[in-house]
Amino acid sequence: MITAALIIGFTIFGGWAALLRHEILSTGYLPRGTVLLLLIILLGNAALGRIFPKGTLTVREILFIYASLISVAAVSGQEFGIHFYLNLIGLIYYSSPQSTWAGLWNDWIPPWLVPARHYRDPAVLWAFEGMPEGARPPLEAWSLPLVLWTPYLWSIYAMAICLCWFFARHWAEKERLVYPLAQVPEDLAKADERATPVIFRRPVFWLGLLLGALPYSLRALHLYYPMVPDPRLQRTLEQWFGLPPGAPFFSGGAFSAFNFLGAHIYPEMIGIAYLLAGEVGLSFWSFVFFRQLEVAIRIACGCDLLHSEFLTYQSVGAYTVMAMVLVFLLLRGWKRRPVGQESVAEGTFRPLILPIIGLVPVVITILCWGRFAAGVSLLWLSAWLVGLMVALTIVGRVVAESGLFIYSSPFRVYQVLFDLFGKERIGGRNLVLLTAMSWVQARSTATLVSGYLVNAFRLSDRADLPEGSFVLWLLVCFLLALVTCHFAIPRVIYAYGIPKLSWWARGAAAGTANLIGGYLTTRRPPTVHHGAGFLMGCLLTFLLVQARLRWVNFPFHPLGFVACQGWPIDRYWLSIFLGWSSQRIVIRAGGQSLWSRLRPLAYGLITGGTAGLSLWILIRLRWSTADSIITD
């Protein structure tokens, strides 16, 4: 009951904060708001332990609550709630006669999947232009669409659960991935007989917590009291070197590719990078410069256009090869188990058979829903699902091994299909409805649900929770979060009106309409840049994997190349470098023993950064400022 109540409360509050102020408490694969909640639970549990020791939560129960909460934390704020409802009515509003896309896609939209088919209907108009005084929100118009969409939405999350279940035990037991983000709540929850967390007795932890919270606190205080110095955590490299805004390092030529690299400071990511294997930390900052070197070479060769397309499709190729490698390694590891170790108790069949048994009916449900409820072609829906499963797998692996605080694939699968095959082959109806089916935000602009799930599975394993029961509970959690969103988000939209929502929410539906309209009216044939990027991604990923398998001391990890494209890595590379270099200095000075003694400092940085920023976000929700503490 405690877990269910926390999920409902976090979903409602997180959705409201994201829609109204774009303050996203669920940002990051170690969600900020959940870390603050974890600290509150731990402190309350410790206080209760001194009064009534028998009534305290055990470590197992705390990890269960936390694993459940992080699994669905982003549904209302980062992935689903801020997109699905706005786009559903925006699809109608932005096809009105006054719009650029007047009537372009209306005939393809099944009436049972949207609250209304006409832009003048109150369910649409009142959201965008305000409700008449004394009117009641037209929530009844949402009843049928939400009932029909829910099985599909829930099935997408169920598919992600099965995929992460499929890989999670193998990654933990056979490949020994470190799961850096899961280490934090696990070590924080370890307690003595009075439920006091052991790490709380380490002064170095509190030092780290202070250092993690201080930069965000200075930034927040500066917004309220300008005389407080602004640490300016989000800068470019040029700004760190004292150049004025907009001034580049290089005025032209090939080296201009290195201009305006983001160089942000995030205390939590510095702490995370300290926990990583050396080659992982090295790769996740150095491949950013390799990426820019590729652009510099292209410029030097006379190619000054379409760098973004080249790098995006390089990522598509890298994802494709890496997904095949991960499946191959899993199957090879399973087949090489010694004879006589096939018992379910030892986890031989369970990581493969049970997730597949769950995955098959879920995929069938998605295909049937898409074909019969939305009328989408099975061919294109199947292609989209395969691509989505690849993206889910790779992002899950990146988070499990590198602990990137925020990461998502640098491409949307449905857009890759549209770019490659165009409206002529896919068809306008399939194009519009596949876009709509992607509003579950299985690939968000900032996160992907598999990143949360791999950490949840790791925590459930460390807490020795029954695997099958935990999976069933996760399914319940996602259904609970979806139903809560259905109840809360439309009410927030009508209560405030879209023009009064956050900058992101105000423009979400218009951006989606422009995206669809662009694909329906403009032909974008693939170019040599798309093909060259894809082949380069495939080749370099394959070579890096082979080098890592053949040479034990090979210093670069292929995931650094796979994940080097996109805004998350642009933001975090400098913090990763600082954490990695600190780790190297500590190990060189005092060896592994000193590194281990300073781990609580890293935990403090992570906890102080995430919980401290969350606390200031809550304050800002009550007393608003002209600017945000950081730009998410």
Side-chain angles (χ1 to χ4, degrees):
M1 292 302 294
I2 294 175
T3 306
L6 285 173
I7 288 173
I8 293 172
F10 197 91
T11 299
I12 293 173
F13 190 79
W16 175 82
L19 281 172
L20 195 62
R21 298 280 180 80
H22 198 62
E23 294 289 8
I24 305 177
L25 291 167
S26 55
T27 287
Y29 289 119
L30 191 68
R32 294 173 186 148
T34 64
V35 176
L36 181 59
L37 274 176
L38 177 64
L39 275 181
I40 294 171
I41 291 171
L42 292 174
L43 291 171
N45 204 43
L48 183 62
R50 296 183 177 277
I51 303 169
F52 183 54
K54 293 184 178 179
T56 58
L57 295 170
T58 65
V59 172
R60 191 167 185 250
E61 290 169 334
I62 291 172
L63 291 182
F64 169 76
I65 292 171
Y66 189 77
S68 302
L69 191 57
I70 64 170
S71 299
V72 299
V75 171
S76 66
Q78 190 69 34
E79 293 186 5
F80 171 74
I82 201 173
H83 298 96
F84 173 75
Y85 304 92
L86 295 170
N87 283 334
L88 210 59
I89 52 179
L91 197 63
I92 305 301
Y93 186 78
Y94 288 107
S95 64
S96 67
Q98 295 92 336
S99 170
T100 306
W101 317 114
L104 188 58
W105 50 70
N106 280 33
D107 293 340
W108 293 320
I109 302 172
W112 51 85
L113 294 184
V114 290
R117 284 287 299 272
H118 195 277
Y119 78 101
R120 299 295 300 178
D121 190 286
V124 177
L125 189 68
W126 291 0
F128 283 90
E129 299 185 13
M131 290 176 53
E133 187 174 352
R136 296 178 57 189
L139 300 174
E140 64 280 354
W142 289 84
S143 301
L144 179 61
L146 294 183
V147 167
L148 293 177
W149 274 99
T150 298
Y152 164 75
L153 301 171
W154 182 79
S155 296
I156 288 290
Y157 286 119
M159 182 181 75
I161 290 171
C162 291
L163 276 175
C164 293
W165 188 16
F166 185 75
F167 285 100
R169 183 176 289 272
H170 175 78
W171 289 350
E173 292 184 356
K174 306 303 291 184
E175 298 192 45
R176 305 292 184 184
L177 300 190
V178 295
Y179 288 87
L181 296 182
Q183 293 178 30
V184 180
E186 181 185 348
D187 283 358
L188 286 179
K190 292 177 181 176
D192 60 17
E193 66 280 357
R194 289 193 175 183
T196 300
V198 175
I199 201 170
F200 283 8
R201 296 201 184 97
R202 302 290 300 275
V204 71
F205 168 78
W206 295 104
L207 174 62
L209 190 142
L210 176 63
L211 293 175
L214 183 61
Y216 295 133
S217 298
L218 289 174
R219 167 64 178 165
L221 289 171
H222 172 78
L223 296 178
Y224 291 106
Y225 308 102
M227 70 285 298
V228 176
D230 185 356
R232 296 176 60 213
L233 302 174
Q234 296 179 301
R235 312 187 199 183
T236 64
L237 266 181
E238 286 87 347
Q239 291 170 332
W240 281 109
F241 279 92
L243 295 177
F249 274 134
F250 306 100
S251 57
F255 286 107
S256 63
F258 293 93
N259 287 336
F260 304 118
L261 272 176
H264 301 183
I265 299 294
Y266 299 93
E268 60 271 29
M269 194 64 236
I270 295 174
I272 292 166
Y274 181 83
L275 305 174
L276 301 178
E279 71 274 12
V280 175
L282 170 65
S283 300
F284 272 82
W285 68 263
S286 62
F287 272 108
V288 172
F289 290 91
F290 175 80
R291 181 196 69 194
Q292 298 308 111
L293 179 61
E294 288 184 289
V295 175
I297 293 172
R298 285 168 55 84
I299 295 173
C301 293
C303 180
D304 289 332
L305 299 173
L306 300 176
H307 301 310
S308 176
E309 285 79 359
F310 173 85
L311 294 173
T312 297
Y313 277 80
Q314 180 173 269
S315 297
V316 174
Y319 268 56
T320 303
V321 171
M322 198 68 206
M324 291 189 291
V325 168
L326 293 178
V327 172
F328 170 76
L329 292 176
L330 184 145
L331 295 176
R332 186 181 69 170
W334 176 55
K335 289 179 180 179
R336 288 188 176 182
R337 288 177 182 262
V339 177
Q341 292 189 8
E342 294 84 9
S343 66
V344 174
E346 292 180 355
T348 304
F349 282 114
R350 188 163 47 181
L352 294 177
I353 303 303
L354 293 181
I356 292 174
I357 291 174
L359 187 63
V360 170
V362 166
V363 170
I364 292 174
T365 299
I366 295 171
L367 293 174
C368 289
W369 191 94
R371 183 68 189 94
F372 298 110
V376 177
S377 162
L378 285 178
L379 172 64
W380 299 113
L381 179 55
S382 300
W384 176 73
L385 275 181
V386 170
L388 180 57
M389 286 190 276
V390 169
L392 285 166
T393 302
I394 299 304
V395 171
R397 177 69 179 217
V398 168
V399 174
E401 194 154 3
S402 75
L404 273 179
F405 186 70
I406 294 177
Y407 178 68
S408 64
S409 58
F411 56 88
R412 291 181 174 94
V413 176
Y414 67 92
Q415 285 186 256
V416 171
L417 289 176
F418 299 166
D419 288 339
L420 292 179
F421 300 101
K423 173 193 169 185
E424 292 76 14
R425 295 181 183 175
I426 295 177
R429 180 187 180 91
N430 291 321
L431 191 148
V432 172
L433 271 299
L434 274 178
T435 304
M437 292 174 70
S438 299
W439 293 338
V440 65
Q441 287 299 300
R443 184 281 191 194
S444 172
T445 53
T447 55
L448 199 67
V449 67
S450 57
Y452 300 99
L453 289 173
V454 292
N455 287 323
F457 274 109
R458 176 62 171 175
L459 289 172
S460 72
D461 183 57
R462 300 297 292 175
D464 198 25
L465 300 173
E467 201 169 61
S469 299
F470 183 68
V471 168
L472 292 175
W473 172 245
L474 286 181
L475 294 173
V476 172
C477 290
F478 276 103
L479 184 60
L480 184 61
L482 288 173
V483 172
T484 303
C485 284
H486 291 343
F487 175 83
I489 302 299
R491 284 172 168 79
V492 174
I493 291 172
Y494 290 114
Y496 294 94
I498 291 174
K500 294 182 180 179
L501 298 181
S502 68
W503 64 272
W504 182 273
R506 288 196 305 271
T512 301
N514 291 333
L515 175 74
I516 296 174
Y519 277 112
L520 289 175
T521 58
T522 306
R523 180 73 177 101
R524 305 174 183 181
T527 67
V528 66
H529 304 277
H530 296 78
F534 181 82
L535 292 176
M536 181 69 75
C538 292
L539 177 62
L540 288 181
T541 304
F542 177 78
L543 292 176
L544 286 167
V545 169
Q546 288 298 314
R548 182 164 174 79
L549 291 175
R550 290 175 182 271
W551 299 303
V552 175
N553 294 322
F554 186 70
F556 296 105
H557 197 291
L559 282 181
F561 172 71
V562 172
C564 71
Q565 171 67 355
W567 66 264
I569 199 68
D570 286 343
R571 285 188 182 180
Y572 285 103
W573 73 265
L574 178 59
S575 297
I576 295 172
F577 168 76
L578 293 174
W580 169 82
S581 57
S582 299
Q583 179 205 69
R584 295 294 93 193
I585 292 171
V586 167
I587 291 176
R588 184 174 291 273
Q592 289 291 331
S593 61
L594 180 59
W595 175 81
S596 296
R597 290 199 299 272
L598 290 179
R599 280 167 64 96
L601 178 68
Y603 293 150
L605 282 172
I606 299 166
T607 306
T610 52
L613 181 55
S614 294
L615 187 60
W616 281 110
I617 286 174
L618 293 177
I619 294 172
R620 186 174 176 272
L621 287 171
R622 177 62 181 87
W623 294 284
S624 181
T625 58
D627 200 1
S628 58
I629 300 171
I630 65 170
T631 301
D632 276 326

